[in-house]
Amino acid sequence: MKVNFEHGCLELLRGDICQEKVDAIVNAANAALAGGGGVDGAIHAAAGPTLMEECRLLGGCPTGETVATGAGRLAAKWVFHTVGPIWQGGDSGESKLLASCYQTALALAGQLGAESIAFPSVATGVYRFPLAAAAAIALGVITRHLKTNSPPFRIRMVLFDPTTLAAYQNALGQFLDPGQAIVIN
Ligand code: AR6
C-alpha cells in the first residue's frame, strides 16, 4: 500500500530489503557493527565483504544513532546502519531510542541527498521490541518527515513477514488525515 503526503510518499510492503532499488537501505545493526543474524546477516551476505571492511573502520555506532557505508554489491548507493534498543521492559528509554533510529536515518539521508530510502522493522526481531508499539513509533517519525520539504521523498517500509506487515498497516491509520487516500497495490 502507498500513501501520498505533501512532500513525498510512504509505501508499506512485504519483501526482502536486499532487493530494494533505492538510494539508501537501512540495516538493523548492533552497536559493534559486527554483523549478525536477521536483516543484518542478509544485508552483509548480499552486499559482500566490503560492507564489513567499512564497518570495521567505523568502529561502532551508539544505540539510537545511524552511520553510513557504501553498499557493496547491492543496488543502493548507501547502507545506513542504525542500532535499535534491546527491549528491556520499556523503562529504559527504548521508545525514544527507537524513534531516534528513524530520525537519525532520515537526517543522514537529507545530508547525503538520498531521495529514497528503505527501512526494515528496526528492533522487532532479535531485540524483541513489541511490534505494535514499534510500528507506531516508526510511522509517527516517518509521516512527520513526509510533511516537511526535505529528502528523502520516497520512504519504503520493507517488512519481512505477514505479521509485521499487518502491524504496520494497522498502525498507519492514526497518522493519516481524514480522507487521506491509501492506494492498495
Ligand atoms: N528484509 C527485510 N526484513 C528482514 C529481512 C530482510 N531480508 N530479514 C529479517 N528481517 P532483526 P533487530 C526482519 O532481528 O531486532 C542482528 O543479529 C525481521 O523479520 O534483523 O533490530 C543484528 O546484528 C524483523 O521483522 O533486527 C543485531 O545484533 C526485522 O527485520 C540484532 O540482530 C528486524 O529483526 C538486531 O536486532
Side-chain angles (χ1 to χ4, degrees):
M1 64 170 57
K2 179 174 175 180
V3 184
N4 291 315
F5 290 81
E6 239 171 293
H7 295 289
C9 68
L10 167 66
E11 293 161 284
L12 303 185
L13 63 143
R14 193 173 161 200
D16 171 4
I17 203 165
C18 302
Q19 305 299 323
E20 286 290 301
K21 293 181 178 60
V22 286
D23 290 340
I25 285 175
V26 179
N27 180 22
N30 51 63
L33 301 180
V39 69
D40 196 4
I43 287 174
H44 275 277
T50 58
L51 201 61
M52 186 49 77
E53 287 161 21
E54 288 190 55
C55 284
R56 272 198 208 100
L57 292 176
L58 289 170
C61 176
T63 303
E65 294 189 21
T66 305
V67 291
T69 63
R73 296 192 292 252
L74 295 172
K77 293 180 190 158
W78 300 280
V79 173
F80 287 1
H81 306 265
T82 198
V83 181
I86 299 171
W87 182 256
Q88 288 170 325
D91 293 331
S92 303
E94 293 97 323
S95 294
K96 265 198 166 164
L97 288 166
L98 184 61
S100 174
C101 287
Y102 289 91
Q103 287 158 352
T104 54
L106 293 170
L108 188 56
Q111 284 161 24
L112 292 172
E115 304 230 329
S116 55
I117 188 168
F119 285 98
S121 177
V122 176
T124 64
V126 173
Y127 283 179
R128 301 187 323 274
F129 202 109
L131 189 52
I137 289 166
L139 295 177
V141 172
I142 289 169
T143 54
R144 258 197 312 281
H145 171 83
L146 287 168
K147 293 173 185 167
T148 66
N149 188 9
S150 50
F153 302 110
R154 181 172 177 232
I155 302 180
R156 286 163 68 79
M157 287 293 322
V158 181
L159 306 162
F160 201 53
D161 59 87
T163 308
T164 306
L165 176 59
Y168 280 74
Q169 287 173 334
N170 289 336
L172 181 60
Q174 64 188 293
F175 301 107
L176 302 183
D177 294 331
Q180 190 172 3
I182 296 177
V183 181
I184 308 290
N185 46 3

